Amino acid sequence: MLGDLEQVVLLATLRLGEDGYGVTIQEAIRRSAGRDLTLGTIHKTLVRLEAKGLVASRIGESAPHRGGRRKRHYRVTPAGLRLLKASINALRRMAAGLAVGLEPT
């Protein structure tokens, strides 16, 4: 099972496809989930997810506007997608039938 933070980071990474890196993942989470996570929190989570085989990374090209620094891009692996689906389905099953506004809209 995934924790809330791991789910949010995986979903943002999945939304961004091959273009996900720290800042874009942070922006996607802020925009879609309304959560203001630090880059440090996001990077630690991505490192943990990569160690578990749930995301994979690659180093992108250097960018002159970044002082020649290269970005690490992340993508969700098939194992990450399977675990994310299982985690979301488990939450849906737990929420099913509760009359507290948790049903899908």
Side-chain angles (χ1 to χ4, degrees):
M1 199 65 167
L2 294 169
D4 177 54
L5 180 60
E6 291 172 323
Q7 286 178 12
V8 169
V9 170
L10 278 173
L11 285 167
T13 305
L14 189 61
R15 181 176 298 275
L16 293 165
E18 299 285 322
D19 296 325
Y21 63 95
V23 172
T24 58
I25 292 169
Q26 180 186 41
E27 290 169 356
I29 292 169
R30 185 179 299 123
R31 191 173 47 253
S32 297
R35 292 179 65 176
D36 193 18
L37 301 175
T38 67
L39 279 175
T41 298
I42 291 166
H43 282 291
K44 286 180 200 174
T45 304
L46 287 166
V47 166
R48 198 168 54 246
L49 291 169
E50 189 166 28
K52 293 178 180 180
L54 305 178
V55 297
S57 68
R58 66 174 172 79
I59 300 295
E61 297 298 317
S62 61
H65 66 277
R66 290 176 41 89
R69 291 185 10 235
R70 299 174 349 160
K71 298 179 223 171
R72 181 173 293 276
H73 295 265
Y74 292 88
R75 66 172 176 76
V76 177
T77 64
L81 185 57
R82 279 192 306 276
L83 191 55
L84 182 58
K85 284 179 182 179
S87 185
I88 290 171
N89 285 334
L91 288 172
R92 285 185 179 138
R93 286 190 305 274
M94 289 295 297
L98 294 176
V100 293
L102 296 176
E103 297 81 17
T105 56

